[in-house]
Structures are given as structure tokens and as C-alpha cells.
Amino acid sequence: MQKKVSIFRHEHFNAAHRLYNPAWSNEKNDAVFGKCNNPSFHGHNYELVVKITGVPDAETGYVMDMKELSELIQQEIHSRFDHKNLNLDTEEFKHLNPTAENIAIVIYELLRPHIPADKDMQVRLYETPRNFVEYPA
Amino acid sequence: MQKKVSIFRHEHFNAAHRLYNPAWSNEKNDAVFGKCNNPSFHGHNYELVVKITGVPDAETGYVMDMKELSELIQQEIHSRFDHKNLNLDTEEFKHLNPTAENIAIVIYELLRPHIPADKDMQVRLYETPRNFVEYPA
Amino acid sequence: MQKKVSIFRHEHFNAAHRLYNPAWSNEKNDAVFGKCNNPSFHGHNYELVVKITGVPDAETGYVMDMKELSELIQQEIHSRFDHKNLNLDTEEFKHLNPTAENIAIVIYELLRPHIPADKDMQVRLYETPRNFVEYPA
Amino acid sequence: MQKKVSIFRHEHFNAAHRLYNPAWSNEKNDAVFGKCNNPSFHGHNYELVVKITGVPDAETGYVMDMKELSELIQQEIHSRFDHKNLNLDTEEFKHLNPTAENIAIVIYELLRPHIPADKDMQVRLYETPRNFVEYPA
Amino acid sequence: MQKKVSIFRHEHFNAAHRLYNPAWSNEKNDAVFGKCNNPSFHGHNYELVVKITGVPDAETGYVMDMKELSELIQQEIHSRFDHKNLNLDTEEFKHLNPTAENIAIVIYELLRPHIPADKDMQVRLYETPRNFVEYPA
Amino acid sequence: MQKKVSIFRHEHFNAAHRLYNPAWSNEKNDAVFGKCNNPSFHGHNYELVVKITGVPDAETGYVMDMKELSELIQQEIHSRFDHKNLNLDTEEFKHLNPTAENIAIVIYELLRPHIPADKDMQVRLYETPRNFVEYPA
């Protein structure tokens, strides 16, 4: 019998960002994004939970080695975004508004090619303890 | 491509309640609800997480503005239930037992008409850090 | 050498209460206590942390057995206040306003006689995750 | 209308364990399981969340009485695994590697027969605050 | 008898910052502050706990009204620092390195004049869930 | 003016242990330590918070570099105790009962020589989220 289990690994990174749409006037950006549009940026402690779903390996009892998953997140996400300004210092958000929704999609797409194709993946990202997102829904 | 994301907003309110079924004897209420049937009431810090699922808007990168979601919860839920006695002070629980299950259903039904029809919604309600519910399942 | 260590035990109880001063008019109670003065009561999940300070016993390595401390809190505090209306159901708050400050003082005074005289004691009480108190300061 | 709600109950237990595959050499066990293969064992505070999904009872407003669910977990899981060495002291892990994945499957299978057949069940198990699993996925 | 109680109020704000000493070379700033010296800034969800110690008022049972304390923090701290770049947007950190230590001292000095002189005050500031400070020690 | 600030760094390690006094009979060990005396051991996720108090350096604004403090804890504590059996695998607890009280004292004494003499130090150790200790008191 194939018993599917999900495993979750919790990591974190700190970054600055600013929300705005360059196609809009300053007034419209202010009206829509409010103080999140501060041109000098603000920041967050992003808490990231990566979920991998699959059948545990018969010999190890692991869906995936949590240590390998942690190292993958370190290498693909932490080294790219930790202590960075998402708008200024990263390729990914030069032309993409760094909302929590978009950051979660980007993280998913950076990690997905490194996860075996027979496993499912989902990303949960906390922008604050009170605001968080999941992708895919 | 349509990429669906879920967003979550965490709010809270404090309330008193009592669990009992008016169609039953005191003895049966005591047997089923135990000390939750205390006729002078007891209370909780309810922690509420509202989840909205949809495709982020192309211009904002938002599934929904978290600030608007927070204000909606403030207006529809917090103003109705915070620092209230659910059994005595609210229309919703005058004839409905205020179990966590029923409170979650009521909160869902109060919020749902205010959420765009193309978005899904789910409510998670913590009665205590150790007891919580989700609706719809 | 006498090495003093503090030990902490975390417990919880749920209760209803109402803040008001019977010597005042309704208007003054409303002005001072706001919605905490709701005459039908509201409630909280109180989280309680009891701290005991002393020199660990040479034979056990314990300042005090955490299990005994837990049972003491169960017997003196939980059985008295859990699932109760503090104003209506308890002797302690019949004539004392059940603010977090006063509840902490009452809990301290109920537990203190059961703790050996050569040990210090302090109570931390969370009324909500955002509001808490300590006694003695 | 049939409104399905999920309820969740949070419990915990502490245990020692060691990860290894008896069919492998020491070298291979070390390569795969690293310090989790320490032959003198290490341990965790396991935090367990059990989710039950069903239609609330019309008379009680409960999917299931949380107190009964808590007592069931106490009787079937806590009494079996708390303050135990999973590899040495339990039948379940004598010949099964006690990874978080396998512990979650075992807990599910121990509890499932005690839950009514018209209800769904899922187990979430935290091995640490940073590593956790869910079964079924 | 004068029974002193401490009350604590938990608030939060999000901000960007950069650590560096303008009197030093870039090399020395990098050596000392590492990636915290990123010239495009990074950011945090700052969690702030303000502690006030005094004798509860005989008529209210309050050391201080938590609601007033919350509003004071909103007005003096949140409105000044939330969604701001501490280095660029604030007077306080134009010439002061915004380490957690210095931010806590600044917050203390902004709030202290608004707290009655017969009460003590202490600030706890979480820069991340893993790094925090208290002032005065 | 000398403004003293405390900084706190949160780390963690997982270990197995058993509580018993070799000078006592099995019966007495069982009576005193209960299931904590399981001869096959049990275990915990220990959460460790180290507090350092001193005057922030005028040039850096740091009491101590959190990264250095984190590395010191890694090197002196984590490498010694993580994924270990405290009774069997460590020098420190071969002849000392590994109660939370004694572990906190040992951690303090291992770290203290590495902290400058003009700074104070305190250790908080969580054995579980519900049981924790501080040394010195």
C-alpha cells in the first residue's frame, strides 16, 4: 500500500522591500499600497515553511531527508534573499512586485526543479505572524 | 497561467459563553457538556484565522488587500463578538449552542457575502491554543 | 557553594469576568473600563506561569518537583477558577475587581503557603497573548 | 445541509529514539542518518495534533467531544510512548525505523479504529518546532 | 501594604535598517557588521513588549490602563517607526546605528516621559524570534 | 552615562536523558523520579536562551555580536549535547543527574569563561514548552 506523508521544514530570512507598480502614478501607488509603498523601504522577518508530499522510502522511512531539504532552502532561498533588499538586490523582484503572494510563487519556482518529480510541494510564507500565504493553493 | 494563492489574516476577540441544549434536562447538559455548562459562563481568547484563495491580481500582486480583509473582520466579527457574552449579547447564538464548530460556521456565513464570488474562503478558530476548528473542512 | 536556580511551570485555565467598581456610577464604570465592563461578562484563556527560586536539592537535583508544582496549581488554582465566572462563582473576586493585577496577587497568595519558606515565588499571568502581568514585581 | 467541520486537539509526549536500518552496515547508517544514528539515542518533545472531520451533531454542536478525543489520545498514544525509548520500549518500533513519518503513520493506525467510520482523521506530528509531518497527506 | 505588580503590553512594527559606522571604512563595516551592512538595507518585524511596574490603583485595580499604554505605544513608537527605513526616514537614527540595543534605548527614552514618575519602565524588543534585547538591564 | 542593556540569543538542541540517583535503590528512584527514571531513557528538544548584560560598545552599538554569541553556543553547547545521550555520551553528566536545573548550571559554567568579565550572563533552558529553568536566579 502506498501511504503518502507530508513533511514540513521551517526556515527564515530577513529582507527589506517596497510595494509599488511602476506603471502607476505615485498617487495611485499610495492609494493602493499605503505605507507599504514607502520609497525608502521597510522590512520583515520572513518565516518560510516548505512542504513535500510523497511515499516514505522503504529503507529509510523518509519522504525526504529534512537535512537535505534544509540545505536546499539555504542554498536556493536564504543565500539569495536573506539580508537583502528584494527590489534592489535581486533579479527576481526587479520587475515583479514583492508581495507575499509573489514571493511565495518565486520561492516555489526556485525550489521545485530540485525536488523529485514524483513528490508534491507547497510553500507557506509568513510576512508577519499575522499575515501569511500558501502556494499553490 | 492561473496561479492560485491562499492568503491568511490572523485576528482575535475575547468572549464569554456557556454550552448547553435548552431541550435537555440539567442532568443531561451536565453529563454532556460538563463544566462548559456552567450557568454563570466562562470565556476564551478566540484567535481567528481567515483564509482567502484566488488568483493574485496582475496589477497589485494581491489576492486581496490584507488591510481590507483585516478591516472587514474588525467590522463584521470583532465589533459583534469582542468582549461579549455570546449567549446573552448576540443574535447569532441566542438559539444556537456556541461550540467552536458553530462559531466558525457563523463567522464564515457573516464574512462570505463580503468576499468576491470567485474566491474561496475558510475559517480557522482557536478556542484555546490546544483546541481549534476549521470550516469548511 | 549555594547555586540558586529558578524553575517555571506553565498551566492554564479559562474563565469569564467583568471589570467594574460597585462604588461607582454606571457612567464612570463605562468611562474607565469600557467594554471590559460588559454586564453579561466576557472571558479569557488565562495562561499562568509559576516561578519558584531556590537551591537545588543535592540528592535530586530539583529545586522542586515540577510534577508536584503542577499538581499544586491544579488543586489550588485550576479547580477554583477553571470554567468559572470569577465575579459570580468565586469567593476571592466577590468584592475584588478581577483585573489581571488582582488575579495575579490572589493566585500568589493562594499558592505561597504551600511553597517552602526558603524558596521565593513569582506569578506571571497572561490575560491575552498581548497583555500580561507579574507579581511580585 | 451537511456542513463539515474539522476539529483539532493538541497533545504532547517526550521520547527517546535512534534512526537506523538494521539491514545496513554502520557506515551506511552513519552516512544516511548522521547524528540521528547515535547508538545511545537522543530525544524529542513530540507535539501531536489530531484532526477529526465530520458533520457537527445537531443536538450538541460537536463534531466530537474534545475531552473524549483528548482522553483517547492519552490512553492510546501518551500511555504508550510518553517518557519511553521508542526503539527499546515499544512493540511498534522494534522493527520499524522511528522517523517522524513512521511515527505519524503508527499513531494514525492506533487511533483510527476508535474514531467513527463516518469521520475523517489526520495526524500532524512535530518532531521539533522546525520539523513536522502530516499523515495522510 | 504596597504590592507592586508589573504589567506588560505587546505591540509590533515593521521596519528596514542597515548597520554601519560612518566613521569606518567599508572594509571595517563589512568585517564587523557582515550582511547587516547591506547598503540597500534589510528589515525586520520588530515585536515590542513594554513593562510598567507600580502599585495597582485601589479603585481600578490597574497599575495602568493597558488600553492607554497601547495607545501611547501606537502614538509614540508605531507612528514613528512602522513601515519606515530607520536610517533614512527617522530623526532618531540619522546619526545613531540602529542596532537592537540602540532601538530599545530610543524607545525607552521616547516613552518614559509619558509614564508617571512613580512607576518603573522596561522595554523588551525582538529583532527576530531568536534575537532580542531588554533595556534597562 | 553607562546604559546597561541585556541581549538574548535563542538556540536549541535535542538530547536523551534519564533521571536517577545511583546512591538510591530502584524503588526510591521510581518513587522520586517516576517515569523520568525510565532506564532506556527518554528525550527532549531543549530550547536555550542565553542572556548577556553590559554596556553597548560606543562604536558598534552592540553589547556583544549576536553572531559571535550564536557561534559560541554552537561550539561549546550544541556540539557537546545535540543528538546525544546526556547520561552516556557526555563527561558532564556521567556523575551528575541531568535535571533541567543541573543542565542549566553546566551550560552556564561552560559558557561563562568565554564571556568578558565585565558582562553578566544568565541561562534560560526549556526542557518542554511547559517546564523551564533559569540560572543564576
Side-chain angles (χ1 to χ4, degrees), chain D residues 64-81:
Chain D
M64 183 178 170
D65 185 334
M66 289 275 198
K67 196 160 162 290
E68 283 176 25
L69 179 55
S70 171
E71 285 164 0
L72 175 65
I73 298 169
Q74 176 68 32
Q75 169 193 306
E76 293 299 321
I77 307 303
H78 197 267
S79 67
R80 218 179 219 104
F81 298 145

Side-chain angles (χ1 to χ4, degrees), chain D residues 9-74:
Chain D
R9 175 70 194 171
H10 190 145
E11 302 281 349
H12 50 85
F13 60 94
N14 311 318
H17 78 155
R18 170 201 184 184
L19 300 185
Y20 77 112
N21 182 335
W24 290 350
S25 68
N26 285 347
E27 289 69 26
K28 184 154 183 197
N29 271 298
D30 276 346
V32 171
F33 295 116
K35 58 190 179 179
C36 297
N37 179 36
N38 178 357
S40 344
F41 310 100
H42 64 285
H44 297 292
N45 305 326
Y46 291 96
E47 302 280 334
L48 171 64
V49 182
V50 176
K51 173 185 182 177
I52 306 291
T53 301
V55 178
D57 181 83
E59 286 193 304
T60 61
Y62 281 167
V63 169
M64 183 178 170
D65 185 334
M66 289 275 198
K67 196 160 162 290
E68 283 176 25
L69 179 55
S70 171
E71 285 164 0
L72 175 65
I73 298 169
Q74 176 68 32

Side-chain angles (χ1 to χ4, degrees), chain F residues 58-117:
Chain F
E59 286 193 304
T60 61
Y62 281 167
V63 169
M64 183 178 170
D65 185 336
M66 289 276 197
K67 197 160 160 290
E68 282 176 27
L69 179 55
S70 172
E71 286 164 359
L72 176 65
I73 298 169
Q74 177 68 32
Q75 169 193 305
E76 294 298 321
I77 307 303
H78 197 267
S79 67
R80 220 179 218 104
F81 298 144
D82 185 49
H83 282 74
K84 294 290 171 59
N85 183 308
L86 298 179
N87 305 70
L88 300 182
D89 298 339
T90 75
E91 284 308 309
E92 289 77 9
F93 300 103
K94 280 239 162 82
H95 308 292
L96 179 68
N97 201 9
T99 58
E101 288 91 331
N102 282 337
I103 302 173
I105 293 172
V106 163
I107 289 174
Y108 177 87
E109 291 177 351
L110 286 168
L111 291 175
R112 180 67 256 198
H114 301 275
I115 301 296

Side-chain angles (χ1 to χ4, degrees), chain D residues 95-112:
Chain D
H95 308 291
L96 180 67
N97 200 9
T99 58
E101 289 90 332
N102 282 338
I103 302 173
I105 294 172
V106 163
I107 289 174
Y108 177 87
E109 292 176 352
L110 286 167
L111 292 175
R112 181 66 258 198

Side-chain angles (χ1 to χ4, degrees), chain C residues 60-79:
Chain C
T60 61
Y62 281 166
V63 169
M64 182 178 171
D65 186 335
M66 289 275 197
K67 197 161 162 289
E68 283 177 25
L69 179 55
S70 171
E71 286 165 358
L72 175 65
I73 298 169
Q74 177 67 33
Q75 170 193 306
E76 294 298 322
I77 307 302
H78 197 268
S79 67

